[in-house]
């Protein structure tokens, strides 16, 4: 049994570490809030995103820490279930370090776009930007891997779910749509870069033109996010 657990952990050490870490962080939030619904003061103290703090006081680290905080059990559970099933497949395919880079940069990109276009006085938290980054990566894989019907099928399913979730978010309050979109865009842009010389994805050929377009796209997207955020001062 222990051997099976060890082998299972070897397949997705980063993904499982992210999941366990978010659970521990949420339990810490619960202790501080004396309840399962985390209050705004605790979220802010623990590193949630808040425009006046990030841009006004230069606390840019909140772009990352906000992605590991959650507001309620349902918020945490939904994100972790999606992260588990999608994340384990991607980490196994693209590699541990590349998967970590994909998730972290997608979290930060989603929060950055949220800073530039979202509510200026709202406190936000959650791993949705990173999860949508994984969605974006799977959609990109569907386009890039022309020899594997599996990725095409997964991309169609994920694309449909993303489209439906964005449509539903337009009619619901409390959903940071900008973070979702920002994370998804970053995930798509990063995928051609992360697949270069990837031993697990040799069937996907990335030419230098596509790689350069992806790199330029990442730079321009990040620059746009900062311009939008700083332009609101």
């Amino acid at each position: 049994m222990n051997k099976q657990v060890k082998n299972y952990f070897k397949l997705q050490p980063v993904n499982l570490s992210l999941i366990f870490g978010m659970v521990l962080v949420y339990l810490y939030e619960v202790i501080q809030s004396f309840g399962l619904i985390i209050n705004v003061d605790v979220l802010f103290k623990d590193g949630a995103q808040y425009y006046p703090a990030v841009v006004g006081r230069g606390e840019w680290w909140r772009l990352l820490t906000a992605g590991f905080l959650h507001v309620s059990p349902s918020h945490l559970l939904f994100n972790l279930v999606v992260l588990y099933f999608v994340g384990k497949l991607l980490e196994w395919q693209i590699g541990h370090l590349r998967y970590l880079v994909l998730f972290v940069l997608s979290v930060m990109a989603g929060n950055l776009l949220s800073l530039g276009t979202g509510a200026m006085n709202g406190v936000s938290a959650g791993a949705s930007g990173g999860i949508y980054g994984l969605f974006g990566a799977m959609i990109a894989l569907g386009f890039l891997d022309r020899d594997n019907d599996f990725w095409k099928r997964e991309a169609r399913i994920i694309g449909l779910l993303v489209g439906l979730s964005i449509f539903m978010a337009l009619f619901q309050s409390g959903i940071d749509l900008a973070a979702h979109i920002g994370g998804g865009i970053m995930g798509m842009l990063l995928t051609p870069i992360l697949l270069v010389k990837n031993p697990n994805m040799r069937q996907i050929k990335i030419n230098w033109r596509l790689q350069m377009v992806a790199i330029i796209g990442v730079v321009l997207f990040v620059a746009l996010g900062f311009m939008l955020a700083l332009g609101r001062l």
Side-chain angles (χ1 to χ4, degrees):
M1 184 65 179
N2 290 334
K3 186 176 181 180
Q4 290 179 336
V5 172
K6 290 180 180 178
N7 290 335
Y8 188 68
F9 186 79
K10 286 181 179 179
L11 290 176
Q12 50 171 335
V14 173
N15 196 44
L16 291 178
S17 295
L18 290 173
I19 290 172
F20 293 148
M22 289 180 192
V23 171
L24 291 176
V25 169
Y26 177 70
L27 292 176
Y28 179 62
E29 293 177 80
V30 168
I31 293 172
Q32 297 174 86
S33 294
F34 300 101
L36 296 178
I37 305 301
I38 311 304
N39 63 60
V40 174
D41 291 337
V42 170
L43 288 171
F44 176 78
K45 183 174 70 70
D46 289 347
Q49 178 160 287
Y50 182 54
Y51 184 92
V54 177
V55 180
R57 299 207 299 255
E59 298 177 359
W60 294 96
W61 47 267
R62 291 179 181 270
L63 294 178
L64 177 60
T65 56
F68 291 84
L69 301 172
H70 290 84
V71 179
S72 66
S74 59
H75 186 206
L76 175 70
L77 182 61
F78 175 80
N79 280 347
L80 293 192
V81 168
V82 176
L83 184 62
Y84 173 78
F85 286 105
V86 177
K88 70 175 182 179
L89 177 60
L90 279 174
E91 182 174 357
W92 176 53
Q93 288 293 316
I94 70 175
H96 309 310
L97 180 59
R98 298 172 198 240
Y99 174 74
L100 179 61
V101 170
L102 171 65
F103 182 82
V104 168
L105 293 186
S106 295
V107 165
M108 298 179 72
N111 286 331
L112 181 59
L113 187 62
S114 177
L115 273 184
T117 61
M120 292 184 67
N121 294 315
V123 174
S124 61
S128 299
I131 289 173
Y132 271 72
L134 306 186
F135 289 162
M138 293 192 72
I139 292 172
L141 284 171
F143 285 103
L144 293 172
D145 193 351
R146 299 178 181 178
D147 299 325
N148 194 332
D149 289 334
F150 171 79
W151 289 114
K152 294 178 184 177
R153 183 173 64 251
E154 292 297 310
R156 285 194 293 267
I157 295 172
I158 293 297
L160 178 61
L161 292 176
V162 169
L164 287 174
S165 67
I166 291 176
F167 177 77
M168 293 175 62
L170 295 174
F171 304 97
Q172 296 178 336
S173 60
I175 296 179
D176 195 344
L177 186 57
H180 295 182
I181 295 174
I185 292 174
M186 180 58 75
M188 294 184 71
L189 290 173
L190 285 174
T191 301
I193 302 171
L194 296 175
L195 292 182
V196 172
K197 296 183 179 179
N198 190 320
N200 295 329
M201 304 289 283
R202 290 193 180 96
Q203 75 275 20
I204 298 181
K205 305 299 182 183
I206 307 294
N207 59 52
W208 67 270
R209 294 182 183 86
L210 179 58
Q211 186 181 12
M212 288 303 300
V213 168
I215 293 173
I216 293 172
V218 169
V219 173
L220 291 178
F221 184 66
V222 172
L224 174 63
F226 276 108
M227 288 175 58
L228 291 172
L230 295 174
R232 307 177 77 181
L233 283 174

